[in-house]
Amino acid sequence: MLFRSNRLKYSILVKNYERAQKWIGFIHLLCGENLEKLSPENRNTITTFEDLVRGNGYMAVKTVPAGAAVTLTKLADKGDGILCGTEKKALGSTPVKEFVIPKGSYVLRISFPGRPEVLYPVAINHGEAELDEIAIPESVPDDMAYVPAGEFFIGGENSRYYRSHELTIPGFFIKRHEVTFGEYLEFWKSLGTPEEKRKHMSKIIF
């Protein structure tokens, strides 16, 4: 029992939760029906290990302005890399007090009377606390989408210029579709001076 307990502690320490889950399974198999007969201290130890391996996180939601209705949708991978909504849960009105949430991917749907609906993706990593404050814009320009402020990962293994790291950016609006050549030329011709036109001239980098 002590041998397996040490292996379990080490697996959790190095964040090998899959192996840790196997050691917990071995302990249950070894104890069988006698698990409930263990001392309260040993039972609490096993329960603590199970909670650590399960990796539940915590979430709280605030909005500006307060009083927005929040719906939480759990996302699941269908197997093709596309995340789809599965379970939905109404969280009530903001501010939403901190609550326990299983690790995984989610999206918050935030509604406030007289303002556009805001979608806010959330990734709860192992044992992570997510305390979000989300600004709701008064309006969104036509043909645009609102991206709330938050953290995102930039770069990665296939990036030529950046290593993967996390940045925080403010909220912004972005066009729903790419700018066309016609839209770019209309913008470029509207510029008032030759200097502005040179500054905003399209470029091709080889």
Side-chain angles (χ1 to χ4, degrees), residues 158-174:
N158 299 320
S159 172
R160 295 175 57 191
Y161 306 106
Y162 301 101
R163 292 186 178 180
S164 180
H165 59 285
E166 199 169 10
L167 293 179
T168 300
I169 58 171
F172 63 93
F173 297 107
I174 189 170

Side-chain angles (χ1 to χ4, degrees), residues 31-164:
C31 295
E33 296 179 356
N34 294 319
L35 186 65
E36 294 301 320
K37 298 178 183 179
L38 294 176
S39 67
E41 182 181 356
N42 284 333
R43 286 204 309 272
N44 289 338
T45 299
I46 294 173
T47 300
T48 300
F49 284 150
E50 289 174 335
D51 289 340
L52 287 171
V53 172
R54 196 174 295 116
N56 287 342
Y58 301 88
M59 178 186 288
V61 185
K62 295 181 180 179
T63 59
V64 180
V70 183
T71 301
L72 178 72
T73 301
K74 183 172 176 55
L75 302 178
D77 189 344
K78 297 192 304 181
D80 54 5
I82 298 176
L83 295 177
C84 295
T86 54
E87 308 164 16
K88 290 185 179 181
K89 180 182 180 182
L91 300 181
S93 298
T94 57
V96 178
K97 295 182 179 180
E98 186 176 84
F99 61 96
V100 177
I101 181 172
K103 63 181 179 180
S105 296
Y106 301 84
V107 64
L108 294 171
R109 188 177 297 271
I110 300 166
S111 302
F112 188 87
R115 297 201 179 199
E117 187 176 71
V118 173
L119 299 179
Y120 190 86
V122 177
I124 301 294
N125 296 315
H126 200 97
E128 184 178 34
E130 189 79 19
L131 309 174
D132 296 304
E133 183 170 277
I134 304 161
I136 307 171
E138 293 183 5
S139 62
V140 177
D142 292 340
D143 245 4
M144 303 286 278
Y146 173 61
V147 180
E151 298 174 341
F152 79 107
F153 286 97
I154 185 171
E157 294 180 359
N158 299 320
S159 172
R160 295 175 57 191
Y161 306 106
Y162 301 101
R163 292 186 178 180
S164 180

